Amino acid sequence: MTNDLQSEDSTTALQVACDTEISGCVFLVRTEEDDRDRLLEITQEHVKEQHGEDVSLDEIEAQHVKTVEVEHGGQDR
Ligand SMILES: [Zn+2]
């Protein structure tokens, strides 16, 4: 376990944006890395309900999940 590489001021989060060819969708979810499963499920549900498409969790993970840096002390208080 080497957590000491990370700075204390930022952490890593997962982000999904539904920026497919479908215009007008601004769906965007960000969670902690631990919440990956939930993030995938939320996105899957969104795609099904809003776009009527069935996508697999693997597909979502491969195509839409991004890892982003989140800085603390700014907006989250
Ligand atoms: Zn969407």
Side-chain angles (χ1 to χ4, degrees):
M1 294 298 167
T2 52
N3 258 345
D4 49 355
L5 286 176
Q6 267 186 341
S7 120
E8 294 138 24
D9 291 316
S10 69
T11 187
T12 309
L14 297 174
Q15 180 175 296
V16 166
C18 182
D19 56 351
T20 54
E21 311 86 71
I22 308 146
S23 61
C25 185
V26 291
F27 177 79
L28 190 145
V29 181
R30 184 182 286 179
T31 69
E32 295 173 18
E33 277 194 300
D34 292 349
D35 260 349
R36 175 180 291 264
D37 287 350
R38 200 165 65 92
L39 177 72
L40 295 178
E41 280 167 21
I42 291 170
T43 306
Q44 186 181 44
E45 230 169 83
H46 162 84
V47 172
K48 190 163 189 177
E49 285 185 7
Q50 299 300 313
H51 305 296
E53 286 178 38
D54 270 316
V55 286
S56 70
L57 297 179
D58 285 345
E59 211 174 320
I60 292 167
E61 184 168 23
Q63 295 181 12
H64 296 292
V65 175
K66 276 198 299 191
T67 305
V68 293
E69 291 262 303
V70 179
E71 286 186 30
H72 287 303
Q75 55 202 144
D76 232 314
R77 287 161 58 93

